[in-house]
Amino acid sequence: GSSLSWVKKNLGIKEGLEKDLENHRAFTFNSAKLASLGEMAAGIAHEINNPLTIISGSAFKLKRRFKKK
């Protein structure tokens, strides 16, 4: 009797730990995906911002040139 209840109790603990481990792995995987997405978004923003800065600078120069005339 007591041996069987000990085995059942430990199996329950093992199953709970396995479930916790599975949840932790899923959380870690999702965190990694979000981190990658953030890095990708930062890269895209940087690539968009560079040409916009050049366009803005050129537009400012043209505006200044035409105001002088």
Side-chain angles (χ1 to χ4, degrees), residues 3-17:
S3 296
L4 185 59
S5 63
W6 181 85
V7 170
K8 286 181 180 180
K9 178 183 174 187
N10 284 315
L11 283 176
I13 291 171
K14 181 183 177 220
E15 289 171 358
L17 290 173

Side-chain angles (χ1 to χ4, degrees), residues 37-52:
L37 182 60
E39 288 178 19
M40 184 177 70
I44 291 170
H46 177 74
E47 292 301 321
I48 290 172
N49 195 36
N50 280 344
L52 290 177

